[in-house]
Amino acid sequence: PAAAAAQKDVIPQAFRNETPMATLFVSALFFNNLRARRMYILIVEDDPYLSYDLKEALVVLHADVREARTVRAAMLVLGDGLPYLAILDYNLKTETTAAVAARLARENVPFCYVTADVERVRADPAIPDCPIVAKPYRVEDVTRMAAMLLNM
């Protein structure tokens, strides 16, 4: 049993190539391992349809996902414990997620932006340098970015 548990942490080198099935397999193993450790991915997105699509793509890979639609809600989620990764939209109706990004950076939590406001993110001095996926996007692009941020 101990050997089997230790094997869950190991991602076979043969599965680290660029084929989509291998990427899905490696991601599922990795996210399942995070779930066992009670770690989660935070999605901060005000559009419920986009948030749902992202969440479903990550849940299929066995990730535990928590969502927030406002900066206040995101800060409350962060107050309960830090995520392993965060995916942020920049513009949430009447506010930006710059404060969330700053908090994540202070806590050394990897994050990326998924936004239509790419130039505003780059120009905002409150936001540390981070990867950006431009809207419109394919869900696969975001899951690939998540895997990159997790050093997979």
Side-chain angles (χ1 to χ4, degrees):
Q7 279 189 328
K8 283 187 177 182
D9 288 342
V10 177
I11 299 172
Q13 191 64 34
F15 291 103
R16 290 183 179 262
N17 60 26
E18 296 299 320
T19 62
M21 288 305 294
T23 301
L24 285 175
F25 178 78
V26 170
S27 297
L29 282 176
F30 188 78
F31 288 127
N32 198 36
N33 192 15
L34 292 181
R35 185 181 205 121
R37 294 180 187 173
R38 298 190 178 275
M39 300 176 105
Y40 71 96
I41 295 174
L42 174 62
I43 297 174
V44 183
E45 169 65 66
D46 61 337
D47 184 322
Y49 296 108
L50 294 177
S51 182
Y52 177 82
D53 285 345
L54 287 174
K55 181 178 180 177
E56 287 303 303
L58 293 166
V59 167
V60 164
L61 299 174
H62 302 276
D64 182 14
V65 177
R66 298 183 193 169
E67 299 170 272
R69 303 232 189 287
T70 65
V71 169
R72 183 174 186 270
M75 293 301 196
L76 287 171
V77 172
L78 292 173
D80 287 339
L82 295 174
Y84 196 75
L85 169 73
I87 300 170
L88 311 175
D89 184 10
Y90 178 73
N91 188 23
L92 305 179
K93 293 185 178 49
T94 61
E95 60 187 346
T96 72
T97 55
V100 177
R103 166 97 187 264
L104 293 168
R106 276 194 313 274
E107 301 286 353
N108 294 316
V109 174
F111 67 94
C112 68
Y113 268 100
V114 177
T115 185
D117 297 318
V118 173
E119 294 308 316
R120 287 182 62 199
V121 170
R122 289 188 179 136
D124 191 330
I127 297 175
D129 190 31
C130 65
I132 302 170
V133 178
K135 289 181 181 176
Y137 59 84
R138 296 178 319 167
V139 172
E140 297 82 23
D141 295 335
V142 179
T143 55
R144 194 172 302 118
M145 178 65 68
M148 183 196 78
L149 286 169
L150 296 172
N151 296 316
M152 294 180 56

